[in-house]
Amino acid sequence: MKVFHLSVECFPVAKVGGLADVVGALPKYQTKMGIDAKVVMPWYNKPFVNENEFEVVFDGFIHQIHHMYQVLVMKEKHNVLGYELYLVKIPGLLDRDQVYGYFDESQQFIAFQHAVLHWLSAMEIRPDVLHCHDYHTGLVPFMVEYCQDFDFLKGVKTVGTIHNGEYQGTMDWQMSNYMPRFDAWKWGLLDWNGRINPLATMIKCSHEFTAVSQGYMHELFEDAQGLQDLIRQEHRKAHGIINGIDTEVWNPMTDIMLNDHYSRENVEEGKEKNKKWLCEEYGLNPELPLFAFIGRFAGEKGADMLPDIVRRSISETEGALNILILGSGNPQIENTLKQLQEEFHVNFAMDLGYKEALSHKIYAGADFLLMPSRVEPCGLNQMYAMRYGTIPIVRYTGGLKDTVTDISSGGYGLNYTFPGTDDAVHAIKRALYLYDDKEEMQNLRKTIMNLDFSWQKSAENYVNLYRKN
């Protein structure tokens, strides 16, 4: 079975969020199962490109309105990721430094999808499955069936995955001029409320579609930023498949980004060493419990509550804990946290930006991970944390429901229900009581490090879905 994963992110080539981690790991595990899994993504001016060898396997052209663009498809020569990786370069469109943030994003994503299908058609490469990840590739299921240029691919099975339904890529209808020729009678498959909506198109046109956890799929039936009626209408092809993590990358015994390695057997000693390094680096007291947040400063992550959580947690416990935050995003949140750092510098530290190596060190050194999410389709951070013996404190939503059970119910995390500061601070105070019970903490750490969050089962579920008639 030949499966092409289409995505604009893939770790370690280009990463902004969890999408990259999924696309970087799922094909590797499918390859181990005997599936011919490949990843196709845009070319970016990133270190990975310069540090590895590529060969041009296709050189062609596509038209967008009156513009003709060169399309170069480059294959990584040595399969260093464990599967075949292809980068699509279009000078003037797909040849930039960053994944997102450009004024012509819609044109970029249309061109990427057009270029991929043009390459496959021109070279007569017919996959068994085109797996489309998020709205950036959501037009592919439509193009395969209704664009005349891709008749060779007509009937190829398409599977779409919703990693985050908050982002749908809606665009004005004038952008249809940038698409390859299509059957105009089928315009309704592109439309949602008078605009082209790639995520809605993916849901309508794919043979099957998934969300990245069962809990999140259930939530999408109730609220999907306006697409809930469509999702309920298409419920027969809707599936919830929880993400996994790459346990080869995320392994405290071998993680090259850690200063001190450890296993389940010596977790207390190992975490203490990593915690001591972190605290020395950021001027915190290693004798206090360390709570961490890692992620984007976005409302869906509950990051706007972080300043109040920091202030109240430190004040109401009289400085009985440390908090370390790694992230970036909303400038107002950043500025407020900077001010708090000056006020509570003895107990609170932060580091701005996306820093992969530091995130690994924080997972290894922190005692607890904070995830006050309003929306969390799957969540990988809580799985990374548990893999490193760090206890998650999560709001009970989306994939967090599927992966973190509260200790009061015989589980291994701390949950709360309502998305507000009060409940988050209460959960932190519960964690302090847990921290004081050294025996319980040690047992809990060993338990969560033994949980299996690998991609193995999830990869099997996807393959079963590919084979579904």
Side-chain angles (χ1 to χ4, degrees):
M1 177 181 289
K2 187 181 297 183
V3 179
F4 280 70
H5 291 270
L6 311 183
S7 173
V8 298
E9 294 184 44
C10 175
F11 178 81
V13 187
K15 174 178 175 176
V16 176
L19 169 62
D21 290 329
V22 172
V23 178
L26 175 57
K28 180 164 70 173
Y29 282 78
Q30 291 179 335
T31 299
K32 292 178 180 179
M33 296 169 60
I35 302 299
D36 184 7
K38 312 170 191 295
V39 169
V40 186
M41 64 182 297
W43 185 96
Y44 303 104
N45 183 26
K46 296 285 189 183
F48 183 92
V49 176
N50 299 320
E51 294 166 0
N52 291 277
E53 290 188 75
F54 289 83
E55 59 182 338
V56 176
V57 295
F58 180 75
D59 187 347
F61 295 89
I62 61 171
H63 288 86
Q64 286 193 322
I65 308 184
H66 303 301
H67 301 284
M68 185 168 69
Y69 290 98
Q70 182 183 23
V71 173
L72 295 170
V73 179
M74 294 174 285
K75 180 182 182 295
E76 190 275 310
K77 293 178 69 172
H78 304 295
N79 290 2
V80 295
L81 301 182
Y83 48 81
E84 292 183 6
L85 171 70
Y86 296 87
L87 304 183
V88 178
K89 185 173 186 177
I90 301 178
L93 283 178
L94 303 181
D95 58 352
R96 301 174 182 176
D97 293 344
Q98 305 303 324
V99 180
Y100 308 115
Y102 298 101
F103 75 94
D104 57 353
E105 258 187 9
S106 295
Q107 184 185 356
Q108 284 184 289
F109 297 149
I110 290 173
F112 170 60
Q113 296 168 89
H114 185 172
V116 170
L117 298 182
H118 173 63
W119 160 49
L120 295 178
S121 298
M123 299 298 291
E124 296 188 348
I125 301 169
R126 186 177 170 89
D128 295 293
V129 178
L130 289 169
H131 191 150
C132 306
H133 293 270
D134 260 346
Y135 80 85
H136 323 100
T137 57
L139 299 177
V140 165
F142 175 88
M143 290 181 179
V144 165
E145 293 300 323
Y146 304 113
C147 289
Q148 296 93 325
D149 292 348
F150 310 133
D151 283 346
F152 174 77
L153 298 171
K154 192 176 181 69
V156 168
K157 185 165 189 174
T158 53
V159 172
T161 293
I162 304 172
H163 294 263
N164 192 334
E166 300 282 305
Y167 304 101
Q168 301 177 6
T170 60
M171 63 187 92
D172 190 271
W173 262 98
Q174 67 180 8
M175 293 303 297
S176 65
N177 295 319
Y178 289 89
M179 292 179 59
R181 296 173 303 153
F182 61 87
D183 182 352
W185 289 97
K186 303 298 183 181
W187 70 272
L189 294 172
L190 297 170
D191 184 81
W192 194 257
N193 291 333
R195 292 172 63 81
I196 295 176
N197 186 316
L199 189 65
T201 299
M202 185 176 78
I203 293 167
K204 294 176 187 178
C205 298
S206 60
H207 292 84
E208 311 286 343
F209 69 93
T210 72
V212 290
S213 70
Q214 292 180 335
Y216 188 50
M217 181 59 81
H218 292 321
E219 290 178 4
L220 290 175
F221 277 95
E222 303 301 323
D223 183 7
Q225 298 296 306
L227 297 184
Q228 56 271 11
D229 290 342
L230 173 62
I231 291 175
R232 286 197 292 266
Q233 179 182 326
E234 300 286 354
H235 68 93
R236 288 182 179 82
K237 57 182 185 180
H239 311 268
I241 300 178
I242 190 75
N243 286 337
I245 64 174
D246 190 335
T247 52
E248 295 178 4
V249 173
W250 296 94
N251 184 347
M253 290 188 289
T254 59
D255 191 337
I256 61 173
M257 300 183 193
L258 299 188
N259 297 321
D260 292 281
H261 296 111
Y262 59 95
S263 66
R264 183 172 177 269
E265 284 64 38
N266 67 334
V267 58
E268 294 299 317
E269 179 185 351
K271 288 191 70 66
E272 183 179 347
K273 290 180 179 178
N274 284 281
K275 179 179 177 179
K276 184 178 180 181
W277 180 89
L278 277 176
C279 290
E280 289 178 352
E281 192 77 6
Y282 291 96
L284 301 173
N285 181 358
E287 299 300 319
L288 296 178
L290 179 59
F291 294 74
F293 172 92
I294 301 171
R296 291 181 292 113
F297 294 160
E300 67 193 69
K301 298 295 183 183
D304 55 306
M305 293 182 277
L306 287 175
D308 278 344
I309 290 173
V310 170
R311 182 183 294 108
R312 287 187 54 186
S313 297
I314 295 174
S315 298
E316 294 179 17
T317 65
E318 298 181 346
L321 75 166
N322 291 325
I323 298 177
L324 175 60
I325 290 176
L326 170 63
S328 63
N330 185 299
Q332 184 176 350
I333 296 174
E334 288 187 9
N335 291 331
T336 305
L337 289 172
K338 287 177 182 177
Q339 294 171 10
L340 285 175
Q341 190 173 18
E342 294 180 7
E343 182 179 355
F344 296 107
H345 64 275
V346 173
N347 298 96
F348 172 52
M350 63 180 293
D351 206 317
L352 294 176
Y354 163 69
K355 300 180 179 180
E356 185 72 22
L358 179 57
S359 72
H360 286 240
K361 291 179 171 66
I362 293 175
Y363 286 120
D367 298 298
F368 301 94
L369 180 78
L370 299 172
M371 296 186 70
S373 306
R374 288 188 175 87
V375 178
E376 196 63 70
C378 174
L380 297 175
N381 289 15
Q382 78 279 11
M383 300 187 210
Y384 298 148
M386 289 187 277
R387 177 79 166 152
Y388 285 64
T390 299
I391 298 163
I393 301 174
V394 305
R395 186 190 159 232
Y396 198 62
T397 186
L400 302 179
K401 292 180 183 178
D402 298 340
T403 54
V404 181
T405 305
D406 194 90
I407 57 174
S408 63
S409 302
Y412 32 80
L414 296 165
N415 298 351
Y416 61 95
T417 303
F418 298 104
T421 305
D422 288 344
D423 281 32
V425 172
H426 176 69
I428 289 171
K429 291 177 180 178
R430 286 181 63 202
L432 291 178
Y433 283 106
L434 174 61
Y435 183 81
D436 287 337
D437 188 338
K438 300 303 181 185
E439 183 177 354
E440 178 64 19
M441 277 290 289
Q442 185 172 0
N443 291 336
L444 195 54
R445 282 171 168 163
K446 289 183 176 181
T447 297
I448 61 180
M449 289 185 71
N450 208 38
L451 297 172
D452 183 7
F453 291 114
S454 74
W455 266 108
Q456 188 61 42
K457 182 62 178 177
S458 299
E460 292 173 2
N461 289 336
Y462 273 112
V463 172
N464 290 337
L465 185 61
Y466 298 158
R467 289 174 173 154
K468 182 181 175 184
N469 293 325

